[in-house]
Amino acid sequence: RFQIQRGKTDPTSYKSLGDCFRTIFQREGLLGFYKGIFPPILAETPKRAVKFFTFEQYKKLLGYASLPPGLAFAVAGLGSGLTEAVVVNPFEVVKVTLQTNRNAFTEQPSSFVQARQIIKTDGLGFQGLNKGLTATLGRHGVFNMVYFGFYFNVKNILPVNKDPNLEFLRKFGIGLVSGTIASIINIPFDVAKSRIQGPQPVPGEIKYRTCFKTMATVYKEEG
C-alpha cells in the first residue's frame, strides 16, 4: 500500500506506516493485512527451486569463463534472479491487484477469479498477467546479484568457527547483512513494479508504463 501512494496529493495517502496499519485494520479488519497471500504461497516453492537451481547452473557455466570468484557469484546471482522473475511475475500481478483492493477481505474476489479476470480483460501479455515484467526482472536480478555476491564473498573471507553456535551466528549475520543491503539497493525496482502493477492514478489512463520511466516519474514528482 505504501509503495503505490502517489505523494501527499494522493487523497488515499497514508501519513505514516503506523497510520497505514491503523487505517487498514479499521476499514478492512485483521484479514485486510493478508490480502493477496495465496499467490505468494503458490509461487514460493517453484520460486525457491528456480532461484537456487539456476544459481548453481549459472555458477557452473561461469566456471568456464575464468571469472574471479566474487564476480562469478554476482553474475550467477543476477542470472538466477532474472530467471526467477519470469516465474513469479504473474503471481505478483495477481497479488498486487488483490492487495490494492480496499474492500473488506470477504468482499474481494479469490486469487483464481482475479487471475481469470486479468486474463479475460488484458490477456497474458505485458498489459495483462505479465504486466511489470521489466521491473520484476530488475527487482529480482539486482537483489540476487547483490545478495549472492556479497554473501559468498564475505562468507569465504570470514573464518569458519568451530563452535556450532558461533558458526550459526556467523552465517546468520552475513545473511542478514546481505539481505539488508540487497533490499536497500533493489527497492526502487520494487516501487516501480508496484506502481505499474497497481491501480493507475486516473482510471483509463496509464501513467506508470515502463520500469525506468516510472522510476523517473516517481523521482521527479516525489523525490
Side-chain angles (χ1 to χ4, degrees), residues 21-133:
F21 273 95
R22 283 192 300 273
T23 303
I24 291 173
F25 181 72
Q26 289 169 359
R27 295 180 180 175
E28 303 167 39
L30 183 62
L31 291 177
F33 296 112
Y34 294 92
K35 287 181 175 180
I37 186 64
F38 198 50
I41 290 174
L42 285 177
E44 194 61 29
T45 299
K47 182 180 85 170
R48 298 296 175 187
V50 168
K51 179 203 288 271
F52 291 104
F53 174 75
T54 56
F55 175 73
E56 291 299 327
Q57 301 310 307
Y58 289 130
K59 195 168 65 171
K60 288 178 183 177
L61 288 172
L62 290 167
Y64 298 106
S66 301
L67 291 176
L71 181 59
F73 286 129
V75 174
L78 174 62
S80 70
L82 295 175
T83 310
E84 176 189 23
V86 175
V87 175
V88 304
N89 192 67
F91 296 94
E92 286 290 318
V93 172
V94 177
K95 182 194 77 170
V96 171
T97 305
L98 291 170
Q99 289 178 340
T100 54
N101 183 327
R102 302 206 176 198
N103 293 330
F105 184 90
T106 53
E107 296 174 358
Q108 72 171 19
S110 69
S111 298
F112 293 108
V113 170
Q114 186 67 66
R116 283 200 301 269
Q117 181 61 41
I118 293 170
I119 295 170
K120 181 180 178 181
T121 305
D122 300 307
L124 296 168
F126 296 129
Q127 296 302 318
L129 209 57
N130 271 292
K131 182 164 56 175
L133 178 60

Side-chain angles (χ1 to χ4, degrees), residues 167-182:
E167 176 62 11
F168 168 77
L169 289 176
R170 180 184 78 99
K171 291 180 178 178
F172 178 82
I174 297 170
L176 181 65
V177 174
S178 302
T180 301
I181 294 173

Side-chain angles (χ1 to χ4, degrees), residues 155-186:
K155 189 166 78 74
N156 290 336
I157 293 171
L158 296 179
V160 176
N161 203 299
K162 293 181 180 179
D163 186 324
N165 293 325
L166 293 177
E167 176 62 11
F168 168 77
L169 289 176
R170 180 184 78 99
K171 291 180 178 178
F172 178 82
I174 297 170
L176 181 65
V177 174
S178 302
T180 301
I181 294 173
S183 295
I184 290 170
I185 294 173
N186 94 318

